[in-house]
Amino acid sequence: MKPSSWLAIAAALVAVLLVPPLLTPGSEADEGSQIRSMRVLVPNAPGGGYDITARTATKAMEDADLLGNAEVFNLPGAGGTVGLGRTVAERGNGKLVMSMGLGVVGSVFTNKSPSSLLDTTPVAKLIEESDIVVVGKDSPYKTIGQLIAAWKADPGAVQVGGGSSPGGPDHLAPMLMAKAVGLAPKAVNYVQFDGGGELLASVLGGKVAFGVSGVGEYRDQIAAGTLRVLAVTSEKRIPGIDAPTLSESGVDVKFTNWRGIVAPPGITDSDRAKLVSLFDRLQKTPQWQEALQRNGWTGAFAPGEQFGSFLKEENTRVATVLKELGLA
């Protein structure tokens, strides 16, 4: 080979080594604040609250160009603890998150799960949501008073369905209602469904006397008139829902559900910071603000360590409530 050829090759190699690679909007070098793709595990069936929250959040992110693409997949079972176990087992995976909430906190206790939410990496608390007491349009119960009267007369005959396992919000709300009206929580005939989607058919078909679920899960059915809301569990009435609060109906219960995002344990500080930043930026988008209003959700953003502290408090609170109700 001619000396001039060797010199040309050497010069080219030097150029490759010394000149930095070209950066594109989606390159790794730009990932200090960007996430190109993410998998979101939903620990209950399609149509439930965690599912709706996950799909709503990821669509808002994609529409706002905060995220390239997201895969949302369902792994139901044992009140969310099957999905929790999978998330904990994915140690170090900074591209996976799990949609979760109060229901998983309770399920850890009632299912004696070997994994706890305290084993995960807290990313963000996203929303708070009222539960609603609903019946099908053909139900004989027109008011919460009529329902309570029938329930007290024969607790076992008045089945209540909920989209969470014992210890979850849709279970705790009717248990607190029962206690408030003088019924022993253990006398309540509670039928468990894996999410509000599964519960819906039984409420519409009259297979349970009433259901308790999140307001955002049934907005369409309420608007269409196929479901009738008898009461809401929040402190104040919900705009757009023609129903009283439990408190103003003489049932001394105020109850609010919440949902958030956790990641596997052992992820890097960099991955954790990216995830927290992603959900922080989501809060500021018009797409997310519209979703909050559409679903009747209250924004309750708490990032990272702040959410971690909240999870510890909720863990203690739920354990206490379950013991007080004789359910743990």
Side-chain angles (χ1 to χ4, degrees):
M1 184 177 290
K2 296 180 180 179
S4 59
S5 298
W6 281 109
L7 289 173
I9 293 171
L13 287 172
V14 169
V16 168
L17 292 173
L18 293 181
V19 177
L22 292 174
L23 300 181
T24 63
S27 71
E28 293 294 325
D30 192 44
E31 285 193 350
S33 62
Q34 299 291 332
I35 295 178
R36 290 185 294 180
S37 63
M38 180 174 68
R39 301 187 77 213
V40 185
L41 187 158
V42 175
N44 64 3
Y50 303 147
D51 187 69
I52 292 172
T53 303
R55 295 181 191 279
T56 301
T58 53
K59 185 177 188 308
M61 288 175 181
E62 291 171 346
D63 290 348
D65 294 326
L66 299 181
L67 182 66
N69 68 288
E71 177 196 353
V72 180
F73 67 101
N74 299 78
L75 185 62
T81 56
V82 170
L84 173 62
R86 165 71 178 274
T87 301
V88 171
E90 291 275 346
R91 172 175 286 274
N93 185 352
K95 303 299 182 185
L96 173 73
V97 296
M98 183 178 85
S99 174
M100 47 68 71
L102 177 57
V104 181
V105 178
S107 294
V108 166
F109 293 105
T110 57
N111 288 288
K112 296 180 173 54
S113 170
S115 299
S116 164
L117 284 166
L118 302 183
D119 298 326
T120 66
T121 300
V123 175
K125 178 185 174 188
L126 295 179
I127 65 164
E128 291 181 349
E129 178 185 42
S130 169
D131 264 2
I132 50 177
V133 179
V134 295
V135 295
K137 65 181 178 63
D138 298 324
S139 169
Y141 307 118
K142 308 298 183 185
T143 67
I144 187 67
Q146 292 175 346
L147 173 63
I148 295 296
W151 200 19
K152 291 174 69 174
D154 192 350
V158 181
Q159 289 185 319
V160 51
S164 56
S165 63
D170 300 348
H171 173 255
L172 287 176
M175 295 302 149
L176 293 170
M177 287 170 58
K179 184 178 180 182
V181 300
L183 289 175
K186 287 187 177 181
V188 174
N189 189 351
Y190 179 77
V191 183
Q192 172 188 334
F193 295 86
D194 200 351
E198 288 193 359
L199 169 63
L200 179 60
S202 290
V203 174
L204 291 175
K207 294 180 180 179
V208 293
F210 69 103
V212 177
S213 192
V215 62
E217 296 172 69
Y218 294 156
R219 279 277 182 178
D220 291 344
Q221 291 77 17
I222 294 167
T226 55
L227 283 180
R228 181 163 58 246
V229 183
L230 300 185
V232 300
T233 66
S234 51
E235 184 175 358
K236 298 179 180 179
R237 290 195 178 208
I238 301 173
I241 302 293
D242 184 20
T245 67
L246 287 172
S247 298
E248 69 181 276
S249 304
V251 183
D252 188 17
V253 171
K254 299 181 184 70
F255 183 86
T256 303
N257 187 16
W258 58 265
R259 298 193 191 105
I261 299 290
V262 296
I267 65 174
T268 65
D269 289 344
S270 174
D271 281 342
R272 179 177 174 276
K274 290 175 192 174
L275 288 170
V276 172
S277 174
L278 175 64
F279 284 94
D280 180 36
R281 285 178 288 153
L282 170 67
Q283 310 306 306
K284 303 175 179 68
T285 65
Q287 290 88 347
W288 180 246
Q289 293 303 314
E290 188 276 330
L292 293 177
Q293 184 175 4
R294 182 177 70 251
N295 288 289
W297 296 339
T298 300
F301 184 66
E305 293 181 2
Q306 187 179 338
F307 183 39
S309 297
F310 174 79
L311 279 179
K312 291 177 183 177
E313 294 170 0
E314 285 292 270
N315 214 53
T316 301
R317 183 180 74 88
V318 170
T320 302
V321 170
L322 288 174
K323 287 177 182 176
E324 288 177 351
L325 294 175
L327 301 169

